[in-house]
Amino acid sequence: MLKKTFAICTLALSSFAFIPAAQANHHGVKEDIIDVAMENGSFNALVTAVKAAGLVETLKGEGPFTVFAPTDEAFAKLPEGTLDMLLLPENKEKLTSILTYHVVAGKVTAAEVMKVDTAATVQGQKVTVTTNDGKVMVNNAHVVMADVEASNGVIHVIDNVLMPK
């Protein structure tokens, strides 16, 4: 009986923990790009890099932004030691250049991305966009998930890190 009462109390209390989140989503309140990436769990390397480059406040800003977000697996494809080297304070400028090469000003949905050949990045260079059988590539990266909504833009998940020229 005691176990059953404890289980019911635990269930009741845990259900209250979800009420604020459900209410926030119900009213259309979404998290910004950084919060969405942090909560997802697949972008730890990206979030670490954004913090090292000092871009957190920018990507938490009003936007809107379109971010081609490489997963942790995408960062793992880089030559060994590359990310560690980029995270060093003396390489902040290079890291910032790489990260801003993944960002396009404005909110560009998947439907809009599929209609363009190039997109100008915040870094200043353009990325090449190709579509084949409904699958989108940005430079050498496949878009593996599109239109992840955030309060200040949209995230398109990619499977490679984009490197500017």
Side-chain angles (χ1 to χ4, degrees):
M1 179 72 172
L2 183 60
K3 285 183 182 179
K4 185 177 180 182
T5 304
F6 178 75
I8 290 170
C9 289
T10 301
L11 180 61
L13 289 173
S14 65
S15 66
F16 286 118
F18 296 107
I19 290 173
Q23 289 175 341
N25 288 335
H26 177 70
H27 294 292
V29 176
K30 298 178 203 152
E31 296 171 317
D32 60 55
I33 287 170
I34 295 297
D35 291 337
V36 169
M38 287 174 61
E39 284 186 8
N40 180 278
S42 296
F43 304 104
N44 296 321
L46 177 62
V47 171
T48 298
V50 167
K51 287 178 180 178
L55 295 172
V56 171
E57 290 306 311
T58 300
L59 290 175
K60 282 181 142 312
E62 189 174 318
F65 305 105
T66 299
V67 177
F68 296 105
T71 61
D72 291 338
E73 290 79 18
F75 276 97
K77 292 179 185 178
L78 292 173
E80 190 173 332
T82 301
L83 181 57
D84 291 334
M85 181 268 304
L86 289 169
L87 293 174
L88 296 173
E90 60 266 24
N91 295 322
K92 183 177 179 179
E93 188 176 319
K94 184 172 185 166
L95 178 61
T96 300
S97 177
I98 292 168
L99 293 173
T100 56
Y101 188 61
H102 289 78
V103 181
V104 173
K107 182 178 177 181
V108 185
T109 64
E112 295 164 327
V113 168
M114 292 178 73
K115 296 177 186 176
V116 300
D117 295 329
T118 62
T121 69
V122 173
Q123 184 260 3
Q125 295 180 30
K126 293 183 179 185
V127 290
T128 302
V129 180
T130 54
T131 306
N132 189 8
D133 291 329
K135 296 181 181 180
V136 177
M137 287 189 73
V138 180
N139 290 358
N140 66 331
H142 292 91
V143 175
V144 295
M145 181 181 288
D147 292 339
V148 178
E149 292 283 334
S151 62
N152 61 345
V154 64
I155 299 169
H156 302 299
V157 181
I158 57 175
D159 66 354
N160 280 305
V161 177
L162 306 174
M163 292 294 194
K165 297 173 185 162

